[in-house]
Amino acid sequence: MRATVIGAGMAGLVSARQLALAGWQVDVLERADGPRSDGYMMDFFGPGFDAAERTGLLPRLREAAYRIDAVEYVDAETGRKTAGIDYARFARAVGGRLLSLMRPDLELALLDALGDVPDGSVRVHYGARYPAPEGPDAPVDVARLLDDADVVIGADGVHSSVRRSLFGDESQFIRPMGLRAAAYVVDGEAGLHAEFDGRFVLTDTVDRQAGIYGLRDGRVAVFLAYRDDDASNPDEAPPVRLRRVFGGLWDPVDRLLDRCPPHPYDDLVAQVVLPRWHRGATVLAGDACQAVSLLAGQGASMAIAGAELLTDLLGPCRDAGAIEHALGEYERRWRPVVEEKQAAGRRAAGTFLPPDRFRLLLRRWTLRAAALPVIDSLVMRSIAGGTGLKGGTRV
Ligand SMILES: Cc1cc2nc3c(=O)[nH]c(=O)nc-3n(C[C@H](O)[C@H](O)[C@H](O)COP(=O)(O)OP(=O)(O)OC[C@H]3O[C@@H](n4cnc5c(N)ncnc54)[C@H](O)[C@@H]3O)c2cc1C
């Protein structure tokens, strides 16, 4: 049996590995020229953690993970700590089943895990975009790989082209959450690295939030989220826009804005909701059909868990009828889990970035109260049920 997977992100790489382990021949088409280096620190817990354990991926993910002891909120005017979260408590609230992973490290770990499959059963083609590019210079014959496949898996992210070709324009399916987020990593800032090494710092600010953390290789990662109700594509270049929104917020942020690359990760924060996830033998996986948004803090986890279920169901199929049944079953079983996480993400939308000083103080109070033993478990459980920690905190 043959599958063609579009997108070598979380859902795509896990789908490819699992199908190959079930005896399939898989081609993965990725439009980027190589593994993507842009990214952010993610809380990895929930369904994806369980799936990683079941599929034998967990040891590699543990190796790639960061150890984070605490998340600190700081007053952007004084630089002083206003509140903090003991990360070990959050880990306890999810039974210790939590990893902190940089997105590029997770992608590399999943690529490495393709070493587990029989030789030649997965081919990853970088620089190969769906739909098939016109002309003779295409790196692979995309049209042929699509024609030859028994199943095509569209794991090409929030702005999925596979989804567009199956069901139409993305405006019908993208549900904006009223925020934009950007992230990038800078090199050669030794002073900043020394200041943030081993720390995960978030600004305690109204309507916008910067997160800074020092990586183990000496680089510094920055994450920027701000309120923006306009879901259309902004005209301003990202470095200019981010400077306009975050300039003057805090000295370390200013220094990182000076180093903003021309094309950082930069997107609206959105969920994806659509009534059907497959048509014929083409099926969507990961953010393409189920994005929960960073507000739910489990997008990568859900992408991996959904891919595991999809490929568990597809793996034994040997004819078109069985495939059609497996795809229906995938939707029937997985959709309720996605809907629950999306609802948690929507609940978090109003409080992720405090809209005024009152709400900011309320969050500060909640976080301080979380240090008290009685309230601790309640607050931590509420965080674990919805957002992760490093993307903000619900009140
Ligand atoms: C700022 C931020 C913070 C986050 N924090 C967390 C967190 O704490 N915890 C968590 O679990 N999740 C988090 N997430 C979400 C998580 O990153 C995504 O949900 C997850 O990566 C989805 O995986 P995916 O495989 O579906 O898509 P992606 O990882 O986006 O992969 C899609 C792939 O498809 C490729 N592609 C796209 N179009 C085409 C095309 N036409 N042809 C070929 N290839 C194509 C892309 O280049 C990409 O490699 C966060 C997201 C953001 C933005």
Side-chain angles (χ1 to χ4, degrees), residues 6-12 29-32 36 40-45 103 107 128-131 155-162 181-183 223 265 285-288 291-294 297-303 388 390-391:
I6 318 296
M10 312 309 151
L29 309 179
E30 167 57 52
R31 70 176 171 192
R36 297 195 318 175
Y40 29 77
M41 189 71 84
M42 300 187 304
D43 301 312
F44 188 76
F45 62 106
R103 192 200 171 284
E107 186 175 316
R129 174 186 290 271
Y130 173 95
D156 51 343
V158 172
H159 302 289
S160 168
S161 302
V162 179
F223 161 77
Y265 167 81
D287 276 2
V292 292
S293 84
L294 70 95
Q298 295 188 50
S301 165
M302 291 291 287
K390 295 187 271 345

Side-chain angles (χ1 to χ4, degrees), residues 27-369:
D27 284 279
V28 183
L29 309 179
E30 167 57 52
R31 70 176 171 192
D33 291 331
R36 297 195 318 175
S37 57
D38 49 337
Y40 29 77
M41 189 71 84
M42 300 187 304
D43 301 312
F44 188 76
F45 62 106
F49 193 104
D50 301 342
E53 189 168 51
R54 282 190 297 267
T55 51
L57 291 165
L58 197 55
R60 283 188 178 87
L61 305 195
R62 281 196 195 284
E63 232 170 83
Y66 275 78
R67 187 198 150 117
I68 291 180
D69 296 324
V71 177
E72 291 169 48
Y73 281 85
V74 295
D75 183 317
E77 274 166 31
T78 63
R80 279 215 306 270
K81 180 172 164 184
T82 55
I85 300 171
D86 180 347
Y87 211 65
R89 288 186 177 167
F90 177 47
R92 277 203 297 280
V94 291
R97 300 169 69 76
L98 166 73
L99 297 174
S100 297
L101 286 158
M102 281 295 284
R103 192 200 171 284
D105 294 342
L106 175 55
E107 186 175 316
L108 288 179
L110 297 178
L111 255 183
D112 185 56
L114 293 180
D116 299 342
V117 306
D119 272 357
S121 57
V122 175
R123 293 181 299 195
V124 182
H125 308 276
Y126 285 104
R129 174 186 290 271
Y130 173 95
E134 306 276 319
D137 297 334
V140 286
D141 188 345
V142 172
R144 188 182 57 75
L145 289 178
L146 295 170
D147 279 351
D148 288 353
D150 297 291
V151 168
V152 173
I153 299 179
D156 51 343
V158 172
H159 302 289
S160 168
S161 302
V162 179
R163 185 184 63 221
R164 186 177 312 120
S165 65
L166 288 184
F167 301 115
D169 190 76
E170 73 172 33
S171 58
Q172 307 166 69
F173 312 120
I174 295 257
R175 180 183 286 176
M177 309 295 279
L179 312 175
R180 285 193 76 85
Y184 54 93
V185 174
V186 303
D187 209 350
E189 285 286 349
L192 274 179
H193 186 264
E195 191 176 339
F196 292 99
D197 192 17
R199 295 170 68 201
F200 195 105
V201 176
L202 293 166
T203 62
D204 195 11
T205 35
V206 168
D207 269 348
R208 51 195 176 148
Q209 181 174 68
I212 305 179
Y213 35 106
L215 303 181
R216 52 187 160 230
D217 59 4
R219 295 179 304 156
V220 178
V222 58
F223 161 77
L224 302 163
Y226 64 99
R227 197 174 299 285
D228 185 2
D229 290 321
D230 181 2
S232 60
N233 267 338
D235 296 330
E236 267 174 316
V240 177
R241 176 167 31 86
L242 294 171
R243 161 75 60 193
R244 176 173 56 71
V245 176
F246 288 92
L249 182 73
W250 190 30
D251 191 46
V253 177
D254 278 337
R255 284 166 60 192
L256 290 164
L257 288 171
D258 289 343
R259 303 285 315 280
C260 180
H263 305 290
Y265 167 81
D266 169 52
D267 205 350
L268 51 86
V269 176
Q271 297 187 334
V272 169
V273 180
L274 72 164
R276 285 204 70 188
W277 292 352
H278 75 281
R279 174 170 283 172
T282 301
V283 61
L284 301 173
D287 276 2
C289 60
Q290 62 175 50
V292 292
S293 84
L294 70 95
L295 297 170
Q298 295 188 50
S301 165
M302 291 291 287
I304 288 174
E308 185 211 20
L309 175 62
L310 172 63
T311 51
D312 268 359
L313 292 162
L314 279 176
C317 295
R318 293 293 176 262
D319 61 53
I323 288 172
E324 174 64 28
H325 181 261
L327 299 186
E329 195 59 12
Y330 156 65
E331 257 192 67
R332 192 184 66 75
R333 284 165 55 178
W334 192 235
R335 190 181 278 282
V337 185
V338 170
E339 285 175 352
E340 189 200 317
K341 302 288 177 209
Q342 290 186 327
R346 284 196 295 279
R347 285 197 297 277
T351 50
F352 176 80
L353 293 178
D356 51 44
R357 185 142 178 89
F358 172 72
R359 240 74 71 87
L360 179 113
L361 293 174
L362 185 62
R363 177 174 72 180
R364 213 178 270 180
W365 176 85
T366 309
L367 289 170
R368 286 180 184 160

